[in-house]
């Protein structure tokens, strides 16, 4: 698997860029289709009880797991993101920590979910840690929401905002090798959508890491071009609309 950026300093700045805009992230990023989370849980060899939301951010995925009846621990390295998660989901156990050093005991969870974040991990130590905390027969499930570029206007908009690293997973450009101790990854796709307006879609885009770390002039230029496009597009220029999304999901069972 290749890294989303080849500059380690930029990669690290982007990985830790989210916390300063944690409230905007919580308000404007999409959640995940329940069917996608349920598919992961169905992959567990025994009834799944304990889940880990790794790189939980503000709890978008945590919330979905709670609604599916999973007892979730959320782990997240950014204090700003974790504070937002705790504010929104006060009953969830929320721990500061990172994928390469998970603050949980050995063989303590049935499922590890990773929403929109695996590309930030150092994969070898992260998968060793995930293997350590998973019970045999448990699953690891990385997943990404991304723009559904089979819809022409979404493809055009996506090209203007250069919408992030996740697109590569949808195109099959990136694949996941089988980590030690796991069965090979299976892959699935789910349709999803987010109700947006011009302003709220631009607010979503502004929480993407490449814009969070961009020079202000470059950021303003991209957002202005995106606004002009959305206002001129009949599908988006007249009030609320659905942004078509696809959720690409991988799951692998711990042996
Ligand atoms: C795009 S956000 C996704 C947050 C949440 N999972 C969601 O779906 O909304 C990426 C998250 O990964 C976290 N992150 C970055 N590097 C990490 C690492 N090495 N270990 C764990 N989390 C990491 C960031 O702090 C950020 O909260």
């Amino acid at each position: 698997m290749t890294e989303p950026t080849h500059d380690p300093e930029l990669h690290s700045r982007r990985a830790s860029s989210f916390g300063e805009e944690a409230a905007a992230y919580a308000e404007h990023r999409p959640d995940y289709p329940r069917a996608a989370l349920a598919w992961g849980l169905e992959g567990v060899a025994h009834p799944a009880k304990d889940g880990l939301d790794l790189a939980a951010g503000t709890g978008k995925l945590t919330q979905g797991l709670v609604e599916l009846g999973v007892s979730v621990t959320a782990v997240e390295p950014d204090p700003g993101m974790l504070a937002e998660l705790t504010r929104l989901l006060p009953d969830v156990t929320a721990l500061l920590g990172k994928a390469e050093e998970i603050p949980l005991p050995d063989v303590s969870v049935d499922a590890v979910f990773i929403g929109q974040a695996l590309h930030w991990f150092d994969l070898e130590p992260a998968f060793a840690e995930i293997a350590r905390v998973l019970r045999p027969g448990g699953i690891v499930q990385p997943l990404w929401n991304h723009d559904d570029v089979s819809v022409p206007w979404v493809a055009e908009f996506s090209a203007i905002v250069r919408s992030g690293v996740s697109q590569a997973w949808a195109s099959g450009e990136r694949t996941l090798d089988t980590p030690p101790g796991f069965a090979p990854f299976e892959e699935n796709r789910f349709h999803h959508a987010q109700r947006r307006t011009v302003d709220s879609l631009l607010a979503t885009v502004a929480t993407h890491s490449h814009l969070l770390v961009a020079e202000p002039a470059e950021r303003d230029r991209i957002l202005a071009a995106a606004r002009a496009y959305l206002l001129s597009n009949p599908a988006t220029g007249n009030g609320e609309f659905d942004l078509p999304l696809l959720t690409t999901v991988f799951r692998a069972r711990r042996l």
Side-chain angles (χ1 to χ4, degrees), residues 15-162:
S16 57
S17 66
F18 299 99
E20 282 183 22
E21 293 294 334
Y25 190 105
E27 184 176 353
H28 292 295
R29 283 290 190 108
D31 63 1
Y32 295 91
R34 296 297 174 270
L37 307 183
W39 184 71
L41 293 169
E42 284 159 24
V44 181
H46 50 266
K49 188 166 68 70
D50 300 306
L52 165 61
D53 183 1
L54 186 56
T58 61
K60 298 262 161 208
L61 200 155
T62 315
Q63 166 94 48
L65 291 175
V66 168
E67 286 168 13
L68 288 171
V70 178
S71 169
V72 195
T73 300
V75 169
E76 162 60 41
D78 187 295
M81 297 294 263
L82 199 68
E84 194 65 22
L85 185 149
T86 302
R87 191 178 70 75
L88 297 166
L89 300 168
D91 296 334
V92 167
T93 303
L95 306 174
L96 264 182
K98 55 181 187 165
E100 300 79 3
E101 206 172 331
I102 299 173
L104 288 182
D106 296 358
V107 287
S108 55
V109 295
D110 303 304
V112 177
F113 288 82
I114 304 157
Q116 221 81 14
L118 187 80
H119 49 278
W120 301 125
F121 297 176
D122 188 350
L123 288 184
E124 210 180 299
F127 274 123
E129 278 292 86
I130 292 165
R132 179 183 67 75
V133 301
L134 270 174
R135 296 180 178 127
I139 61 109
V140 59
Q141 182 175 313
L143 66 162
W144 287 264
N145 284 324
H146 42 80
D147 297 343
D148 183 353
V149 294
S150 69
V151 179
W153 80 258
V154 179
E156 287 173 24
F157 177 71
S158 221
I160 294 167
V161 299
R162 293 186 282 112

Side-chain angles (χ1 to χ4, degrees), residues 186-200:
E186 302 167 83
E187 187 178 340
N188 209 341
R189 297 266 159 88
F190 296 83
H191 286 282
H192 196 30
Q194 190 186 18
R195 199 78 184 144
R196 296 282 81 186
T197 61
V198 170
D199 284 336
S200 66

Side-chain angles (χ1 to χ4, degrees), residues 218-244:
E218 169 70 353
R219 190 182 143 138
D220 291 349
R221 188 189 64 71
I222 292 172
L223 290 175
R227 178 179 293 281
Y229 176 79
L230 291 174
L231 289 172
S232 70
N233 175 20
T236 55
N238 302 301
E240 284 197 330
F241 55 89
D242 276 335
L243 172 68

